[in-house]
């Protein structure tokens, strides 16, 4: 039995220690907002937060989450910054097929939490591990900038 803290809830999950976090979220907990893409840490579609940092859940064994807080896309609506990012994604019509977008949003929120005013280079560095086969990169960058601008005007 492994202990897991997801979205503020502690729980026990009956999986082997080496089970990827992604499978635990999707198959054991039914949290299917986090997507499987490559399964090899290369595409970013499975991105979640561990103690606020963006990580690839497909290559993170459940044992590596011991004592850490895992946050998924399902929690973003309740997080002020997560909600602001989702609103910007909607207002700028960022998604196309949508498959990569929960991972994109998780990387964007992690970036904006540590850097409220990212430059183009900061955005490229933070988002380069998140692949979008539909090529929504320009709108992703615009949405991140929109959130940064809105938050500056409220500060
Ligand atoms: S599914 Fe995890 S990085 Fe591609
Ligand atoms: S919106 Fe289709 S892969 Fe990104």
């Amino acid at each position: 039995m492994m202990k897991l803290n997801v979205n503020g809830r502690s729980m026990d999950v009956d999986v082997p220690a080496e089970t990827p976090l992604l499978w635990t979220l999707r198959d054991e907990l039914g949290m299917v907002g986090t997507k499987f893409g490559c399964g090899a840490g290369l595409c970013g579609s499975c991105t979640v937060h561990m103690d606020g940092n963006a990580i690839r859940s497909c290559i993170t064994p459940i044992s590596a989450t011991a004592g850490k807080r895992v946050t998924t896309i399902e929690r973003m609506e309740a997080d002020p910054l997560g909600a602001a990012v989702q609103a910007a994604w909607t207002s700028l019509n960022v998604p196309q097929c949508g498959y990569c977008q929960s991972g994109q949003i998780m990387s964007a929120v992690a970036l904006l939490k540590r850097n409220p005013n990212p430059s183009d280079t900061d955005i490229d560095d933070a988002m380069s591990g998140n692949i979008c086969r539909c090529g929504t990169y320009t709108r992703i960058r615009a949405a991140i900038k929109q959130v940064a601008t809105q938050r500056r005007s409220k500060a």
Side-chain angles (χ1 to χ4, degrees):
M1 198 67 84
M2 305 297 297
K3 289 216 174 304
L4 189 60
N5 184 302
V6 183
N7 296 340
R9 280 181 50 223
S10 292
M11 57 191 82
D12 295 317
V13 283
D14 190 10
V15 295
E18 65 276 14
T19 308
L21 174 59
L22 176 61
W23 299 132
T24 308
L25 293 171
R26 291 182 58 87
D27 294 349
E28 300 297 319
L29 303 175
M31 299 170 69
V32 294
T34 307
K35 301 300 185 202
F36 169 76
C38 65
L42 300 171
C43 75
S45 68
C46 67
T47 304
V48 300
H49 296 173
M50 190 160 74
D51 283 352
N53 298 310
I55 60 152
R56 309 298 184 227
S57 63
C58 69
I59 52 166
T60 303
I62 200 76
S63 55
T65 71
K68 315 262 192 203
R69 289 172 298 111
V70 173
T71 309
T72 71
I73 190 71
E74 284 85 358
R75 181 70 168 188
M76 287 300 101
E77 215 176 336
D79 175 288
L81 180 55
V85 169
Q86 287 183 317
W89 248 240
T90 302
S91 78
L92 295 180
N93 289 317
V94 172
Q96 193 164 316
C97 80
Y99 198 84
C100 71
Q101 297 294 335
S102 75
Q104 303 281 4
I105 287 172
M106 295 308 286
S107 288
V109 171
L111 165 65
L112 287 163
K113 273 195 199 288
R114 69 172 185 277
N115 181 354
N117 191 18
S119 65
D120 285 353
T121 307
D122 296 334
I123 293 172
D124 289 346
D125 287 349
M127 304 301 293
S128 63
N130 287 81
I131 309 298
C132 175
R133 285 192 294 182
C134 301
T136 62
Y137 301 111
T138 308
R139 296 199 295 278
I140 287 171
R141 179 185 287 189
I144 291 170
K145 291 196 159 189
Q146 179 173 296
V147 175
T149 304
Q150 282 168 348
R151 289 172 80 81
R152 263 202 312 279
S153 68
K154 282 187 196 153

